[in-house]
Amino acid sequence: MTATAPAPPVAQGDAPKPALLELRAIDVFYGRIQALRSVSLDVADGEIVALIGSNGAGKTTTLHTISGLIHPSRGEIYLRGQRINTLGAERIARLGVGHSPEGRRLFQRMTVRENLEMGAYARRDREGMRDDYERVYTLFPRLRERHSQLAGSLSGGEQQMVAIGRALMSAPSVLLLDEPSLGLAPVLVDVIFEVIREINAKGTTILLIEQNARLALKNANRAYVLETGSISLSGPAEELLNSPAVQRAYLGV
Amino acid sequence: MTDLAVRSPVALLRRVTQPARSMGRRVEGRSVYLILTLTAAGLVLLGWFLPWFVGPFTAGTGFSPQDVVSSAPTGFATVLVYVMGASALIVVLSPLAELVARLRKMTLGVRVDQVRAIAGAAGLVAAVLVYVLVGVIREEPAFGVLSSTTITNSAVWLTMYGFGVALFAYGAKGLVLTRPNLAFAIAALPFGALLPLMFHQAPDFLLWAASSLAIYTLLALGLNVVVGFAGLLDLGYAAFFAIGAYACASLSSPIHGIHLPLWVLIFLGAAIAAIFGALLGAPTLRLRGDYLAIVTLGFGEIIPDLATNNVFNLTGGPNGLPGIDQPKIGPVDFGTSPQWYYWSIVAVTLISVLLLRNLQRARVGRAWVALREDEVAAAATGINTTTTKLLAFAIGASVSGLAGAFYGSMLTAISPDAFQFQVSIAVLSIIVLGGIGNITGVILGSFVLTFVIFWALPHAHEWSATFAHNFNVSAVGNINFPQYTYIIYGAALILMMLLRPGGLLPSRARRIELQTGVESESLAAVQGRA
Ligand SMILES: Nc1ncnc2c1ncn2[C@@H]1O[C@H](COP(=O)(O)OP(=O)(O)OP(=O)(O)O)[C@@H](O)[C@H]1O
Ligand SMILES: [Mg+2]
């Protein structure tokens, strides 16, 4: 949508779905350093949207800003039309934003099960929670086996499963995933992405960050490219996959 | 008797603490109990045989095995002393036997536990009988009235028999209990409640000792909420104790002519301390670790200083506030016997323990753990980090308010000296020694350190002097122990941290941290502010 850089021909053929999540001209500073410059993006209900970009582009910052861990100095964020950029992280989580942070950030000295319980911290519907444990364990049978193991002693892949599972336990309407494939063997990456598509198929909207642009673009409906703090490209994932600019910069073609 | 006493509170506490399913369940390794037993055995031995070496010192206590042996009708009393000695020997040797067996990879059956339980019980009963007997022979109460100037003076007796009972529970655990840790907590707490029943009349100095022990237990329990549960290092905790004590003293003394009853004061003291807890918490929310420690350190210095300087003419300056009420409710006069203080503090401590245990296992408790583990993830899962931290500060401070209310009334006067930095450090040492974050460990730590700080160290020179006199080793008698108090104390802490860095009974989190080196992360770092 926004094309601040020399815009390559990227069409925008989507039907105008109501945006579930919308960022409007977000500026974020770390002290004096500006990390995001007028970032605007939107995620429609039921989509998988990918956010790609090189190291330090501001991808993680964008997710942190959405979930209220950092507050933007300018711009607005809307969730189902409700303005959320002034709310605290706990309110935003309760409104339906699930966040699986970069580096997993599990509660290391808690068990797998306890981590999942913490994910459901804000919920009080016991029935729904029980179904969701079941759902997470069905998505990741491995976690069922390991439910009483300490999170800190799991393998990297298993930890990633717990991180995603924990975010799912809040029954989010939009799930923010920060580099779910980081440090995983190719086989496991496939497993994780299969699960991500499955989660999406069951109705959870997903905003996904990936270093591996090809992987992200193959799995997403639409994508945004972030370059040093601002969106340089956006459009349907397939088009970006074939765009020469993206291919040169991110796909190593 | 003790079997029942240990068992039924267990059932009760289990029911009370049911809501916790998977969080907070702990099973401790056996080695903990090994060391525990060694310590306990050492203390019990010390208590039993000390009188032989410290004749002059036992003058006030009426306890003198020599009397029993020499002047009692021969037979019964002598047998008792031998029973005590034998049981002590068994109790001391059994952990060693266990160690040896373990080294040889042998397994020990229930039999060992049985023997130990019987030995512990026999020793306890014998000791009690000796006390009573001494009283009968001398035609005086088993315990003379000690001057109550130093109420902590005789904490040791209580500590010893606490350990005796705990030891018994340790022996009994294999037989009756599946949750040894809980058993220890239960055994250690009501020892105080059972003790007065064991003797004809409640001995005053024991009750004073128990009350002051309980005050330190309360303080440690409160600080444990902040440092142990929420992971916020607070070096100025005595400030809240001071605030609670001064607030209550002002409201129950002739100074302003206000005389509120102790029951009201407990709640008021807790509430006022809690407010100050939150007030200190608010500006320090973003700080962690060393930064927070320094801010709280400053706060801990400021409060007693304000009291010394008599701010707003409220604190009475360096002399403090005198003439604090000792409540009178109908026939019950707190001024006449320490037993009323004793019963009420024990009740308040027990209730606090129950409440804190439940709190630890409730939603807040889980939020504290999450916060300690990873603040960012905690915030992202819907935990309000601000209120959760403030709550830790407020609840932690409120417990010290409880302690403050009792403290002033018990002593009838308070002064700024009682709330100096050393008090904060002593309380912090208690929880570090006992096991940060583990309520049972903290209670245990409060017994051990109260014993060391207020009894063993201050009296070490008297012992050494008598020892030097009796055995003609003059060199020992010249050691100036009071001068070395803090050196010994410090060395003991260092040794402790080297040997058992998680404390006597480490909490689960500490144990894992020590094993895996996993640490936590802060939210401020992610926001670029730390
Ligand atoms: N806590 C912080 N304090 C100061 N600067 C920060 C902080 N976090 C991120 N930055 C800066 O903001 C910019 C964007 O960082 P961000 O973590 O959002 O990048 P990213 O796109 O997620 O990179 P990567 O792919 O390496 O994870 C970087 O220049 C980084 O140095
Ligand atoms: Mg990142």
Side-chain angles (χ1 to χ4, degrees), chain A residues 59-60 102 178-179 209:
Chain A
K59 306 181 296 293
T60 299
E102 183 173 36
D178 200 333
E179 305 206 20
I209 291 184

Side-chain angles (χ1 to χ4, degrees), chain A residues 28-31 33-36 51-64 70 102 178-179 182 209-211 226 228-229, chain B residues 523-530:
Chain A
V28 170
F29 288 83
Y30 289 113
I33 306 161
Q34 185 160 13
L36 293 185
L51 186 60
I52 59 178
S54 46
N55 289 118
K59 306 181 296 293
T60 299
T61 305
T62 308
L63 290 204
H64 280 182
I70 308 172
E102 183 173 36
D178 200 333
E179 305 206 20
L182 189 73
I209 291 184
E210 260 302 332
Q211 285 287 344
L226 202 54
T228 55
Chain B
L523 183 57
V526 163
Q527 294 170 333
R529 292 186 303 196

